[in-house]
Amino acid sequence: MEGYDFTKDDLAQLILRRFYPERTQRESAVLRDYLLAHGAEYDRFSFSVRVGFGQVLSPNLLPGIRRSTNFSSRKRMDMLGWQGNSPTIVEVKERVTAAALGQILTYQQLFLEELPDAPPPRLVIIGRYSDQDTLRSLASYGIDVYLYDPAVAAGGADGGRV
């Protein structure tokens, strides 16, 4: 699995970043809040990890176009964190909606197809805002949700968990 890879030794540098790979400014701010609260829990991190096969392409296309299209059409996990052999898939949203459920479950399935011997990943969705219906639904699937108030950098003593 290829992504932008870092180790726990890079955590301080990661927290100082203004942007994370392939993330918007707002998503990067949410991700920074999560790393501040939970980054020390991980041994290593990968950002923008591609999973799945991507779009099926005609063999008549130029090789560069095939590579580029395949790369950009694969599903992209925002962050994959590792605690030893235990993976965590982290999805970043400014507003966490019900659509995030399908997205993170898809990533879980594709991850397990690519690494069938890996333990099932922990699923985490982080954001700024959500609603009680969405939070209840995500919790029923065992998905951890952390919301970070934009006015409070670290999300309080509980790290933003709802």
Side-chain angles (χ1 to χ4, degrees), residues 82 85-87 108-121:
W82 293 89
N85 292 337
S86 299
Q108 177 185 38
Q109 177 62 35
L110 296 174
F111 173 87
L112 291 171
E113 288 175 6
E114 290 192 27
L115 296 175
D117 295 330

Side-chain angles (χ1 to χ4, degrees), residues 93-97 127-131 147-148 150:
K93 300 287 184 200
E94 184 171 16
R95 180 171 301 281
V96 177
T97 66
R128 294 275 185 233
Y129 315 98
S130 192
D131 61 83
L147 299 178
Y148 299 95

Side-chain angles (χ1 to χ4, degrees), residues 35-91:
L35 289 173
L36 277 166
H38 298 279
E41 298 169 12
Y42 299 101
D43 301 322
R44 59 193 193 278
F45 318 84
S46 294
F47 298 95
S48 298
V49 178
R50 300 288 205 273
V51 289
F53 294 109
Q55 190 173 4
V56 177
L57 304 170
S58 166
N60 298 332
L61 291 174
L62 294 172
I65 293 172
R66 287 178 57 88
R67 277 191 307 275
S68 176
T69 302
N70 178 266
F71 176 81
S72 64
S73 67
R74 294 176 70 202
K75 305 296 183 261
R76 182 183 63 211
M77 294 186 287
D78 293 337
M79 187 183 108
L80 179 62
W82 293 89
Q83 298 167 311
N85 292 337
S86 299
T88 300
I89 297 172
V90 179
E91 178 61 21

